[in-house]
Amino acid sequence: MGFTPLAGTRAPVRVWTDPYAIEPQAAKQLRNIGALPWVQGVAVMPDVHFGKGATVGSVIAMRQAVSPAAVGVDIGCGMSAVRTSLTAVDLPDDLGGLRSAIEATIPVGFAQRPEAVNTRRVRGLEQAGWDDFWVRFAGLDPRVAPLETRAQRQLGTLGGGNHFIEVCLEQGGDDEGRVWLMLHSGSRNIGKELAERHIGVARRLPHNADLPDRDLAVFLAGTPEMDAYRRDLWWAQEYARRNRAVMLALLCNVVREQFPQVGYDEPISCHHNYVSEESYDGVDVLVTRKGAIRAGRGDLGIIPGSMGTGSYIVRGRGNPDAYCSASHGAGRRMSRAQAKRTFSTADLAAQTAGVECRKDAGVVDEIPGAYKDITAVMAQQEDLVEVVAHLKQVVCVKG
């Protein structure tokens, strides 16, 4: 499809969807971002929608500055997936037992574990760096010091909202029917606490006094505030990655208990709320992806739809106009409150037919109808990624 420039901005804002289809609140946010003096450029993904400060589905390249709201409060949120050796014929007709086993192993929602996971005892989990990782907790913002035990007990837990664990079947191609395992989660409460503290600090800095939106407040390179944010940011991004790694290993072990013959390929993992140091046209920039994945040439990524529509494994094309990025999912087309007003549990059951999942009022806000059409979203970014595999879930665990 290619991009369309958004008119009326100082820095280039390139849009991978119809600019007139963007909700007015989100379009205003994008223009506010494009007006910031530190912004080199913005790439807007086809799943774009309104968010706090910065739009979800925005990729922002800044020179010597970073806006913590352009990362989001769930620092390091992202996806992991692994292809198994199983096929559809290996699965039982009734998948309720598999779903129950997953839910018994991995806490969901606001839950935490009674005791921290002993990472040394999790089969298949990468063991490098765990001791150093937890030692670095003591160097984080001192206001989160009381949360260390909670952070340890929430490691390997899913969370709520749009976070999920799925068992999927590959659609079409040579591997049709192959079973995949997939999950979506982030840095849990500790990432949120760190993000909100730093957003609060940024809002009070003098150079942010005249911004069009104080939630876009930035830290500047070479300042103690920037140094403190980057320290906490890198740790929270690593926490999110390790959290997903623990859950994926536990999930693989649940499946192994029920299917001892199973084998696993190398897993795929990608953040979609994070910061990266990159260079474009000889300019070093800090790139924030809020609801976007890195799609450098050859990079494997994961783009989910909703709990009834399936997902895509993709390979990046390395498009520099988009700062080597792609969408992080279908993107919401209505708020959670609107979804609850619009849809019923009967609608949820109909739209998730054939999927072993919750179908109660507690997850109506996650109904497929509340999301954009993932097929259309994928069609709008053909110059950003190529599809490696199309997956359709048969089990979906929600918080």
Side-chain angles (χ1 to χ4, degrees):
M1 171 182 170
F3 69 85
T4 302
L6 186 68
T9 62
R10 182 198 60 78
V13 178
R14 307 180 185 105
V15 181
W16 269 263
T17 188
D18 179 1
Y20 295 102
I22 300 175
E23 59 194 304
Q25 283 180 300
K28 181 178 180 181
Q29 284 185 324
L30 292 170
R31 288 190 169 89
N32 285 341
I33 294 165
L36 297 179
W38 309 278
V39 171
Q40 181 78 2
V42 183
V44 183
M45 300 295 101
D47 61 340
V48 61
H49 57 94
F50 179 76
K52 182 176 175 60
T55 46
V56 179
S58 62
V59 181
I60 305 170
M62 286 192 180
R63 301 178 306 276
Q64 302 295 304
V66 68
S67 169
V71 181
V73 294
D74 192 359
I75 298 171
C77 186
M79 301 282 303
S80 292
V82 65
R83 188 174 70 167
T84 80
S85 62
L86 302 174
T87 62
V89 297
D90 295 311
L91 299 179
D93 293 335
D94 183 356
L95 293 167
L98 179 56
R99 176 187 158 201
S100 295
I102 294 169
E103 292 173 337
T105 301
I106 301 174
V108 303
F110 292 106
Q112 56 183 287
R113 298 176 180 278
E115 299 292 339
V117 170
N118 184 342
T119 53
R120 292 184 176 85
R121 299 183 64 182
V122 178
R123 179 180 177 181
L125 178 65
E126 170 62 48
Q127 293 299 315
W130 280 101
D131 290 342
D132 175 68
F133 170 70
W134 283 115
V135 164
R136 284 188 283 127
F137 189 97
L140 301 180
D141 188 308
R143 293 171 294 180
V144 303
L147 300 179
E148 183 170 9
T149 297
R150 180 173 182 175
Q152 290 175 338
R153 292 180 178 176
Q154 284 194 316
L155 186 76
T157 67
L158 185 65
N162 61 1
H163 293 166
F164 63 79
I165 297 168
E166 289 183 342
V167 180
C168 307
L169 299 180
E170 190 164 338
Q171 308 293 294
D174 295 338
D175 286 307
E176 183 171 7
R178 185 73 75 91
V179 175
W180 287 70
L181 307 179
M182 179 182 296
L183 61 87
H184 171 212
S185 192
S187 52
R188 305 297 283 111
N189 177 257
I190 187 63
K192 175 179 180 292
E193 293 286 343
L194 287 168
E196 290 178 343
R197 280 159 172 74
H198 286 288
I199 290 171
V201 170
R203 285 170 59 93
R204 296 191 294 272
L205 295 174
H207 63 261
N208 292 317
D210 297 324
L211 295 182
D213 182 348
R214 292 295 295 276
D215 282 328
L216 286 174
V218 304
F219 293 123
L220 301 180
T223 64
E225 293 86 3
M226 171 71 102
D227 292 343
Y229 178 61
R230 286 167 65 107
R231 174 202 64 210
D232 293 358
L233 172 79
W234 301 143
W235 187 91
Q237 289 181 180
E238 185 175 350
Y239 181 96
R241 178 181 63 79
R242 289 181 180 273
N243 181 42
R244 290 194 298 275
V246 170
M247 281 190 287
L248 190 63
L250 292 171
L251 177 60
C252 287
N253 291 333
V254 168
V255 173
R256 187 179 284 113
E257 288 174 3
Q258 299 201 15
F259 308 94
Q261 77 277 21
V262 68
Y264 296 105
D265 291 353
E266 281 295 311
I268 302 166
S269 183
C270 58
H271 291 319
H272 54 225
N273 282 13
Y274 77 113
V275 178
S276 178
E277 298 173 335
E278 300 176 18
S279 181
Y280 295 91
D281 296 325
V283 179
D284 293 333
V285 288
L286 285 168
V287 177
T288 56
R289 294 183 174 91
K290 182 178 182 179
I293 63 170
R294 177 166 172 82
R297 183 170 296 278
D299 289 346
L300 289 175
I302 308 162
I303 303 179
S306 64
M307 63 187 291
T309 58
S311 302
Y312 291 86
I313 306 297
V314 298
R315 182 179 291 110
R317 297 188 185 276
N319 189 328
D321 290 332
Y323 299 105
C324 296
S325 305
S327 79
H328 82 313
R332 298 193 71 93
R333 69 180 185 91
M334 63 176 66
S335 69
R336 295 185 183 279
Q338 184 182 355
K340 290 177 180 178
R341 292 193 300 268
T342 304
F343 297 107
S344 67
T345 54
D347 295 322
L348 178 64
Q351 293 183 29
T352 59
V355 181
E356 173 60 45
C357 64
R358 288 178 59 186
K359 301 179 192 285
D360 57 82
V363 292
V364 166
D365 57 346
E366 280 293 298
I367 192 171
Y371 284 83
K372 296 178 182 179
D373 180 356
I374 185 63
T375 304
V377 167
M378 296 303 298
Q380 291 173 319
Q381 54 185 338
E382 289 180 344
D383 60 331
L384 305 183
V385 293
E386 61 175 315
V387 173
V388 174
H390 177 205
L391 312 180
K392 178 66 173 69
Q393 65 272 76
V394 291
V395 176
C396 178
V397 172
K398 282 278 190 182

